[in-house]
Amino acid sequence: MSYNTILTNQENAIATVTINRPTKLNALNKETIKELHDVFSKLEKDKEIQVIILTGSGEKAFVAGADISEFSQFSVKEGGKLAAKGQKLLFDFIENLSTPVIAAVNGFALGGGLELAMACHFRVASTNAKMGLPEVSLGVIPGYGGTQRLPQLVGKGRAMEMIMTAGMISAEQGLSYGLVNHVVSQEELISVCEKIAKKISNNSPVAISYAIKAVNAGFMNTVNGYEQEIKAFGACFGTDDFTEGTSAFLEKRKADFPGS
Ligand code: COA
């Protein structure tokens, strides 16, 4: 199978998936989401693959978010659909994959990019990584599970601050928050992930898949939170703030929110 927006590499029991839109800082468009779904479902079925590493192409970004140019004109209905479809096809899908997925966060992981890293089973970051959920600076909220998974990982107060300020945290801060498990140089990032993957691959794949299910089951009470996120995300598309926020990004100027 060949892909337009992702690269794959397979060595022994480890597959590496690289999101490959470096000129757009690997922003997630519809095609990338579909291709990621396809590759993850294919790899999950491949019994030779015991661990998947997910990373971004180039030295600057893991993923700088959902592709803003694709959704800036969306209606409330289309906005809600975007979040619901993306969550089902990719974010929930990865979280519940029976094969372990490690996010190798090699630069910006913003918005949908951080949400993607958080849907992976755990994260390793390079020292230059910058992570955040900047959606409210665009007049929208995180729609790919960010309002649910960020508090699970860093605690409610830190998540609230990150979401409200729309700011970015460094790799070291991410480490102290428990958002990433290790911070290493960019040159070492993939080899460190491979070393961890190798350790995982010495263990029982069946037991690991059951462990993933069991750990995830403990967070299932948040299921209504995900639905609330989809509804609120869609509602943002009917606001003047959203029109102003996304237009300002695409016109490369500072947003002046009308507050309606
Ligand atoms: N959607 C669409 N395009 C994006 C993008 C996104 N989320 N993030 C970056 N890009 C594009 C830029 O528009 C630019 O394209 P161009 O060269 O055709 O103009 C290219 O990627 C490079 O980005 P640029 O902004 O020039 O790089 P920078 O180093 O100055 O800034 C960021 C890097 C990550 C701070 C900045 O790109 C940014 O703020 N991106 C959006 C982050 C965001 O809000 N994500 C959440 C979306 S819901």
Side-chain angles (χ1 to χ4, degrees):
M1 208 184 283
S2 77
Y3 303 98
N4 286 329
T5 66
I6 57 180
L7 304 169
T8 56
N9 177 49
Q10 212 163 303
E11 237 179 285
N12 303 318
I14 303 164
T16 304
V17 175
T18 306
I19 299 164
N20 189 32
R21 299 183 73 216
T23 57
K24 294 291 172 193
L25 303 185
N26 305 319
L28 294 176
N29 61 8
K30 237 167 63 190
E31 186 179 24
T32 316
I33 289 180
K34 160 92 176 56
E35 290 192 342
L36 283 169
H37 171 85
D38 291 348
V39 78
F40 277 107
S41 46
K42 179 171 159 264
L43 291 170
E44 186 182 37
K45 287 185 199 109
D46 184 341
K47 291 302 157 211
E48 278 182 20
I49 297 300
Q50 282 181 264
V51 185
I52 302 166
I53 297 169
L54 177 64
T55 194
S57 181
E59 292 177 357
K60 209 169 153 183
F62 173 72
V63 169
D67 193 320
I68 297 165
S69 65
E70 230 180 38
F71 65 68
S72 62
Q73 303 298 323
F74 274 13
S75 65
V76 168
K77 200 167 160 210
E78 289 169 314
K81 239 172 108 181
L82 178 75
K85 195 168 171 204
Q87 286 194 17
K88 184 158 178 259
L89 205 60
L90 187 60
F91 297 77
D92 297 352
F93 187 71
I94 291 183
E95 183 169 59
N96 293 304
L97 211 73
S98 53
T99 310
V101 185
I102 306 173
V105 181
N106 58 317
F108 289 113
L110 302 175
L114 181 57
E115 291 173 301
L116 182 61
M118 292 193 295
C120 295
H121 298 122
F122 61 90
R123 292 141 292 283
V124 179
S126 54
T127 46
N128 65 316
K130 291 251 183 258
M131 292 163 284
L133 293 179
E135 283 85 351
V136 300
S137 72
L138 295 162
V140 67
I141 67 164
Y144 288 146
T147 66
Q148 306 304 299
R149 292 191 184 98
L150 189 63
Q152 288 169 11
L153 286 163
V154 307
K156 190 173 167 187
R158 286 168 173 161
M160 285 285 195
E161 185 179 342
M162 283 178 70
I163 291 169
M164 289 174 188
T165 60
M168 297 182 207
I169 62 168
S170 66
E172 281 303 324
Q173 207 168 351
L175 184 65
S176 78
Y177 278 14
L179 184 55
V180 303
N181 292 8
H182 310 276
V183 175
V184 298
S185 70
Q186 192 162 48
E187 299 72 51
E188 289 173 308
L189 180 63
I190 296 300
S191 66
V192 167
C193 290
E194 284 170 348
K195 253 190 220 155
I196 301 170
K198 177 88 188 31
K199 274 194 194 165
I200 295 172
S201 70
N202 291 331
N203 300 320
S204 156
V206 177
I208 286 173
S209 72
Y210 284 145
I212 292 171
K213 276 202 177 70
V215 172
N216 285 344
F219 293 95
M220 287 213 172
N221 58 350
T222 59
V223 76
N224 289 331
Y226 288 100
E227 279 165 18
Q228 177 57 35
E229 181 184 278
I230 289 168
K231 263 194 215 137
F233 181 83
C236 292
F237 285 72
T239 67
D240 295 332
D241 278 6
F242 174 75
T243 308
E244 167 60 9
T246 50
S247 309
F249 176 82
L250 297 171
E251 290 159 17
K252 300 184 188 295
R253 61 175 173 79
K254 196 171 176 314
D256 181 11
F257 290 113
S260 57

